[in-house]
Amino acid sequence: MTDIAIVDYGMGNLRSVHKALEHVAPTVSTTVTSDPDIVRKASRVVVPGQGAMRNCIDELETRGLREAVIEAAKHKPFLGICLGLQMLFEESEEGNVKGLNILPGKVVRFPASAMTNADGQKLKVPHMGWNQVYQAIKHPLWEGIAADARFYFVHSYYVATPDTALIAAQSHYPFPFTCAVAKDNIFAVQFHPEKSQLAGLTLLSNFAKWTPHF
């Protein structure tokens, strides 16, 4: 049986995620799959992704993966990466599309009017590159990672949630924004751990052995 299923819905850097998980957990069975049955039977599920939210939701539907992903997010250790974070929420400004409605909140674009740094210089969108992640809670997936470690980001949208208890970490660009959320068996991040060197590999290693209590 597959221990970790990486959901393939045609979007995202699946090979990098797969190789990173194989590196940190070589004795664990890790499979990239678009088969809903394999996703349902896996012990843990990772949903990576990059690109447009509407395409993401459409591809989940087309491949019959939508319900399998929702079930995984409710019942087993679940790691969302980038779009895998954003899809968990109610809706997105990107294409005005409905998300999976698992967590409360909305995905919003970095507002052009706010995108200047302290020196008045214009900041680029998408937010791309290394940035510090400030942990907001203690969590097994943060084990061994500095409370202000740097991770790699590529995104134009971020999650705004009314439920502050969900916020596992924030970053700044140029204002604080939520970059990781956690609830029960769900942990999801806006940054790319598979591209984030030691800190990212540590997070993936922690996920591979995480047994949430909920």
Side-chain angles (χ1 to χ4, degrees):
M1 185 179 80
T2 297
D3 187 57
I4 302 176
I6 303 170
V7 179
D8 178 8
Y9 55 97
M11 301 171 66
N13 197 357
L14 302 177
R15 187 171 185 273
S16 292
V17 176
H18 189 199
K19 289 189 72 65
L21 281 165
E22 286 187 322
H23 175 73
V24 299
T27 63
V28 169
S29 172
T30 304
T31 303
V32 176
T33 182
S34 57
D35 186 335
D37 288 335
I38 293 177
V39 175
R40 288 189 173 97
K41 292 174 183 176
S43 301
R44 293 172 171 79
V45 171
V46 178
V47 181
Q50 55 195 40
M53 177 67 83
R54 181 172 294 281
N55 293 341
C56 161
I57 298 299
D58 287 349
E59 287 298 323
L60 286 177
E61 293 278 10
T62 299
R63 297 167 187 244
L65 286 163
R66 181 188 177 101
E67 291 308 314
V69 168
I70 291 173
E71 290 170 21
K74 291 180 177 178
H75 300 299
K76 61 185 68 178
F78 180 100
L79 177 62
I81 299 172
C82 196
L83 277 181
L85 162 72
Q86 296 180 7
M87 70 169 64
L88 297 173
F89 289 82
E90 295 168 274
E91 59 183 323
S92 175
E93 286 184 350
E94 186 181 19
N96 295 315
V97 63
K98 297 295 184 183
L100 300 182
N101 200 25
I102 294 166
L103 300 175
K106 185 175 183 178
V107 179
V108 297
R109 185 175 173 84
F110 283 108
S113 60
M115 302 313 294
T116 53
N117 64 17
D119 297 326
Q121 295 175 318
K122 196 74 174 173
L123 296 175
K124 294 181 179 179
V125 177
H127 170 217
M128 183 181 300
W130 294 87
N131 210 345
Q132 284 182 293
V133 168
Y134 300 94
Q135 297 168 24
I137 61 170
K138 293 191 70 173
H139 192 281
L141 266 67
W142 292 135
E143 185 178 349
I145 300 172
D148 59 353
R150 294 169 68 85
F151 288 83
Y152 189 81
F153 288 81
V154 184
H155 65 122
S156 300
Y157 294 79
Y158 64 95
V159 167
T161 177
D163 187 354
T164 57
L166 291 176
I167 300 172
Q170 291 186 316
S171 190
H172 294 80
Y173 192 74
F175 50 82
F177 68 90
T178 298
C179 66
V181 299
K183 182 179 181 182
D184 300 328
N185 58 304
I186 295 172
F187 196 91
V189 298
Q190 183 61 64
F191 52 81
H192 289 270
E194 76 282 5
K195 298 179 181 179
S196 298
Q197 300 180 0
L198 181 58
L201 291 176
T202 301
L203 189 148
L204 292 174
S205 177
N206 290 340
F207 174 74
K209 58 191 178 188
W210 178 39
T211 304
H213 301 287
F214 62 97

